[in-house]
Amino acid sequence: MKSWGLAGSTAVLAAIYAVSAQAQVTPEDVWQNWQKLSATYGQALVADSVTRNGDTLVVSGMSISMDQDGAKLNGKMDEVRFRDIGDGKVEVTMSDTYPITITMPNESSGTEELAITITQPGLTLIAGGSATETSYVFNGPSIGIATKATEGGKTLADITATLTGLQGKYLVADVDGISSLESNLEAQTLSFSVEANNENGGLDMTGNLAGLRMEQSGDFLGVAAMENMAQALRDGFAADGKFSYGAGSFSIDAIENGVPTKVTATNESGFFNFGLNGENMSYGAGGTGVNMAISGGQIPFPELKITYGEASFDMLIPVAKTAAPTNFSFLTRIVDLSISDELWGMFDPTAALPRDPATLIIDTKGTAILTNDLMDEKAMATMGDAPPGELHSLEITELRAKVGGADLSGTGSFTFDNSDLTTFDGVPAPTGKIDLVLAGGNGLLDKLVSMGLIPQDQAMGARMMMAMFAKPGEGQDVLNSTLEFKDKGFFANGQRLK
């Protein structure tokens, strides 16, 4: 089954939640604004009947539909009640259960379909505010989502998820055709399960997370404007989101071609964040305290264990054409990574290497000029093999690589002369230096030679290179190196090499 497009996913979320965020003083205003905002997302929101019953507007047979690029969305809710509770606020209650169906044409199988059932007993929504700025608060003991994925009439997967202890709020402003949104959501727990099957086998997965929190803000222009992302960013589209969670666990039982595999894992915490606006794009994710065990399949021993204290990455890149240098950054962290002794034993049966946890950290930032908008497909297509911009500076805030008893660390910074592309063979001429410290490097080489992983002559060549670029530091088996670019040349510890 092919992946569902971003537009389709956005449409579903908009239909269920974002549409609800517009509210005015009276129940009629709330219902009308639901319809208006739904239309801006390319959705049609209609009802079989709309009647006023005292202080409550009763909307019966409410349906939502959308047809975009061949993908169709259809949802139906038996009843929605908008009750005027005074003070310019409206309480919204809905049916406990309602279905949503998404279909997409498939050249080989005819049709792909997601049949979704949402269950939300006791969910209450309170809307209030003014015509230009609306607040929206919701609480619910639990929300359940059950999804059946089919292709050509054949069931591929059954997916269920349940959120408990749900609460959150929105603040929405609508000015000059731009909807600005600030929201946060919290849930005490999330539990989920997946059951999937294909001609080669199947998969069963269950899991749970605690302490979920999601924050989102942005300025949204509507579906039509998003067809040209580069122009939408110029016109003010922006989105920013953060998602975090606490302790969790999951278990996977899979069978492929008759061979079973089992995976179990626990974690302490995790996060995901994203951001996009007219200037830059950011993206990051990570987790802490992860313990994973894998057995079966093609593993040549009973169980493979992997643990790490932290694994994360974060990036910030410019997306818009600029006249002056603008910031970028990249960070990756793998801290205290350990694997089970059985895997170590496959290439180090005598335990010659220290089996201390390994760490890799690369933390950099800098500035660059973009010569084209990255989101402008036409402009990028005309560039051919040319780079989309110029690198102007780079700072290595932290470099750390620790494994097998060796530990390399360093910091540095550089600037780049983009008018000189000849001195270093097409690379802008750099100016700056990096300071490096290597502890245990020779000891690691000795162990690799004794294990037969590196021939003696290659180890000798590596030692000669270290002698050329480094000098003895404080302590046993410690090497220091300062690599510097200046005056159109390259220097190692003050000695010019180029």
Side-chain angles (χ1 to χ4, degrees):
M1 187 181 218
K2 69 178 73 171
S3 298
W4 297 99
L6 177 61
S9 300
T10 302
V12 176
L13 295 176
I16 300 172
Y17 293 110
V19 175
S20 305
Q22 283 292 321
Q24 301 297 320
V25 177
T26 70
E28 285 79 9
D29 290 335
V30 176
W31 169 237
Q32 291 171 9
N33 283 316
W34 277 35
Q35 293 176 299
K36 178 181 177 181
L37 187 59
S38 180
T40 67
Y41 286 97
Q43 304 157 354
L45 187 65
V46 298
D48 294 338
S49 68
V50 180
T51 59
R52 180 73 144 161
N53 184 2
D55 60 3
T56 302
L57 183 72
V58 181
V59 177
S60 301
M62 187 187 80
S63 62
I64 187 167
S65 61
M66 184 175 184
D67 190 339
Q68 183 181 12
D69 299 328
K72 297 181 179 181
L73 177 148
N74 290 281
K76 187 81 171 182
M77 187 175 294
D78 291 339
E79 185 178 88
V80 184
R81 301 175 71 88
F82 302 87
R83 185 170 71 92
D84 188 341
I85 59 175
D87 296 328
K89 296 181 179 179
V90 174
E91 178 189 64
V92 184
T93 56
M94 296 175 282
S95 300
D96 286 349
T97 302
Y98 62 95
I100 296 174
T101 302
I102 303 172
T103 59
M104 181 179 292
N106 183 295
E107 294 181 359
S108 60
S109 60
T111 304
E112 299 177 4
E113 181 177 285
L114 291 178
I116 305 168
T117 301
I118 298 178
T119 306
Q120 49 184 22
L123 179 68
T124 60
L125 322 170
I126 305 295
S130 67
T132 58
E133 188 172 274
T134 304
S135 63
Y136 181 80
V137 179
F138 63 89
N139 288 274
S142 68
I143 291 182
I145 303 174
T147 303
K148 180 182 290 293
T150 62
E151 182 175 351
K154 181 180 179 180
T155 299
L156 298 182
D158 288 293
I159 306 167
T160 63
T162 302
L163 288 162
T164 65
L166 193 70
Q167 61 179 2
K169 60 183 179 181
Y170 293 88
L171 180 63
V172 181
D174 190 358
V175 180
D176 297 330
I178 298 179
S179 297
S180 298
L181 169 68
E182 293 183 11
S183 69
N184 67 66
L185 177 150
E186 295 181 5
Q188 294 176 357
T189 64
L190 165 66
S191 59
F192 59 89
S193 67
V194 178
E195 182 179 349
N197 296 282
N198 58 38
E199 58 274 9
N200 296 320
L203 176 146
D204 289 311
M205 179 172 67
T206 59
N208 61 81
L209 295 171
L212 287 80
R213 182 176 178 85
M214 183 171 64
E215 300 177 12
Q216 181 182 359
S217 63
D219 296 322
F220 305 98
L221 308 180
V223 173
M226 301 306 295
E227 292 182 1
N228 186 334
M229 177 60 73
Q231 187 60 48
L233 291 171
R234 298 185 196 108
D235 292 340
F237 169 75
D240 183 82
K242 298 178 180 179
F243 174 67
S244 62
Y245 54 90
S249 65
F250 74 85
S251 175
I252 298 175
D253 288 285
I255 297 178
E256 184 173 4
N257 297 322
V259 180
T261 300
K262 185 176 183 63
V263 181
T264 60
T266 60
N267 70 277
E268 294 178 357
S269 66
F271 75 92
F272 166 78
N273 59 60
F274 69 90
L276 179 62
N277 56 45
E279 297 180 354
N280 53 56
M281 177 175 64
S282 62
Y283 183 67
T288 65
V290 172
N291 292 269
M292 182 180 299
I294 307 171
S295 59
Q298 303 299 318
I299 298 176
F301 37 81
E303 187 176 62
L304 168 63
K305 293 183 179 179
I306 301 172
T307 67
Y308 56 82
E310 177 188 354
S312 63
F313 74 93
D314 195 72
M315 59 177 286
L316 172 72
I317 61 173
V319 297
K321 181 179 179 179
T322 56
T326 187
N327 294 330
F328 70 86
S329 63
F330 176 79
L331 166 68
T332 183
R333 293 174 58 88
I334 302 174
V335 180
D336 291 341
L337 171 67
S338 295
I339 58 177
S340 53
D341 286 342
E342 290 85 353
L343 185 58
W344 272 108
M346 293 182 65
F347 59 89
D348 183 20
T350 62
L353 292 175
R355 299 183 179 181
D356 300 332
T359 290
L360 174 65
I361 300 173
I362 303 173
D363 188 359
T364 63
K365 59 183 178 181
T367 59
I369 289 178
L370 287 188
T371 54
N372 282 293
D373 292 344
L374 291 186
M375 297 296 177
D376 190 332
E377 295 182 3
K378 291 183 179 179
M380 294 297 291
T382 62
M383 295 182 58
D385 295 330
E390 300 175 347
L391 178 62
H392 279 252
S393 68
L394 175 66
E395 180 179 346
I396 304 171
T397 305
E398 183 179 10
L399 173 65
R400 183 86 185 274
K402 178 183 176 184
V403 65
D407 192 343
L408 173 67
S409 60
T411 59
S413 62
F414 302 91
T415 59
F416 298 87
D417 181 2
N418 286 270
S419 66
D420 180 1
L421 299 178
T422 59
T423 302
F424 290 94
D425 300 324
V427 177
T431 299
K433 67 177 182 177
I434 180 171
D435 295 310
L436 300 169
V437 178
L438 175 62
N442 282 299
L444 176 58
L445 270 177
D446 291 338
K447 292 181 175 66
L448 293 175
V449 171
S450 68
M451 294 166 58
L453 296 178
I454 294 181
Q456 187 66 251
D457 58 339
Q458 292 185 14
M460 181 63 68
R463 296 185 200 280
M464 292 176 64
M465 290 293 292
M466 287 192 292
M468 181 182 300
F469 288 99
K471 59 183 180 180
E474 296 184 5
Q476 184 177 359
D477 197 6
V478 175
L479 296 173
N480 294 340
S481 181
T482 297
L483 306 179
E484 186 173 10
F485 293 89
K486 64 179 181 179
D487 302 329
K488 309 295 184 180
F490 172 58
F491 299 78
N493 301 311
Q495 181 179 357
R496 185 162 189 156
L497 301 180
K498 177 178 173 59

